Amino acid sequence: MIVDNRITEYLHSLETSRGELLDTIEKKAIEDGVPIIRSETAALLRSLTAALRPENILEIGTAVGYSALQMCQVMPENCHITTIEKYEKRIPEAKENFRKAGEESRITFLEGDADMWLKELKGKQFDLVFMDAAKGQYIHWLPDVVRLLAPGGVLMSDNVLQEGELIESHYLVERRNRTIYKRMREYLYELKHHPQLMTSIIPLGDGVSLSVKEEA
């Protein structure tokens, strides 16, 4: 636990519906055990998107399309989202959710491994990158993400504090989680020491980092 449960419950009580479709997607995802962003994290993502007014957004980790549609609700009309998902079972559901929302024309859906797609994406820069996929891969994706991030653009990374486990001793972490633990600590260190990034780490949800790419 990162934040006191009572505070989290209070924050949840303040949230309002984002519409029938998103409410349905959220309910079904929770029932099916699909990892989607927490409501307080979704609120931050919406606020950030509304404030930045980006033209191009990159999302790494589509799942069932919940977070992409959160951004669609508040981004400018001319904004476009490119989203990447490799888990085949979730791809049809995400496509159907985009269709139901009427957002297919504003979303480019890239199916497959982010390692491949991040290297394939050239000649385009993104004003906002939302990273919410395999946590152990964040550190490996970072060089390509920084390359694709426009000067002044923001990288938002979710689940960076691993339910608070990140502050524990290596020896207290379950063996099966130690690789992710090690890589995430490396990732946060790199974000805070990267010469092109200015980063804040926020104990919200399961931990969020916001990194701004500084002007050349």
Side-chain angles (χ1 to χ4, degrees), residues 19-20 24 46 50 54 78 89 94 99 104 110 115 153-154 156 162 179 191 212:
E20 183 178 354
T24 301
R46 289 195 303 272
N78 65 340
K89 289 184 178 180
R99 185 195 66 77
E104 291 172 297
L110 303 179
D115 286 335
V154 175
M156 176 173 170
Q162 301 285 287
T179 297
L191 289 183
V212 181

Side-chain angles (χ1 to χ4, degrees), residues 14-48:
L14 296 175
E15 290 299 327
T16 56
S17 171
R18 302 307 302 176
E20 183 178 354
L21 177 59
L22 278 176
D23 289 347
T24 301
I25 294 171
E26 179 183 30
K27 183 174 183 292
K28 187 175 186 302
I30 292 171
E31 289 173 351
D32 294 345
V34 176
I36 58 172
I37 53 174
R38 305 181 189 199
S39 59
E40 63 271 35
T41 309
L44 176 62
L45 180 62
R46 289 195 303 272
S47 297
L48 185 63

Side-chain angles (χ1 to χ4, degrees), residues 37-148:
I37 53 174
R38 305 181 189 199
S39 59
E40 63 271 35
T41 309
L44 176 62
L45 180 62
R46 289 195 303 272
S47 297
L48 185 63
T49 303
L52 287 174
R53 297 190 60 78
E55 291 185 10
N56 289 295
I57 297 172
L58 173 63
E59 178 185 53
I60 305 170
T62 315
V64 293
Y66 182 70
S67 51
L69 292 177
Q70 292 275 359
M71 292 185 281
C72 280
Q73 285 192 342
V74 297
M75 70 191 195
E77 191 62 36
N78 65 340
C79 183
H80 193 87
I81 295 177
T82 300
T83 185
I84 304 171
E85 178 60 50
K86 69 174 288 186
Y87 190 40
E88 294 180 2
K89 289 184 178 180
R90 292 182 188 143
I91 289 172
E93 188 172 350
K95 287 183 175 179
E96 179 62 12
N97 288 332
F98 295 154
R99 185 195 66 77
K100 288 178 179 177
E103 293 289 3
E104 291 172 297
S105 64
R106 295 204 295 169
I107 298 175
T108 296
F109 199 166
L110 303 179
E111 303 175 29
D113 201 298
D115 286 335
M116 175 189 71
W117 283 116
L118 290 174
K119 288 175 172 52
E120 289 288 323
L121 288 170
K122 297 175 182 176
K124 188 174 187 178
Q125 289 197 304
F126 297 90
D127 310 296
L128 172 62
V129 177
F130 179 51
M131 187 131 70
D132 186 21
K135 311 304 174 281
Q137 299 304 312
Y138 283 15
I139 186 68
H140 299 308
W141 293 333
L142 187 59
D144 283 317
V145 168
V146 172
R147 172 179 58 82
L148 292 167

Side-chain angles (χ1 to χ4, degrees), residues 163-175:
E163 299 288 354
E165 195 171 62
L166 223 61
I167 63 170
E168 300 293 344
S169 164
H170 171 84
Y171 299 103
L172 294 178
V173 177
E174 288 186 36
R175 187 177 298 276

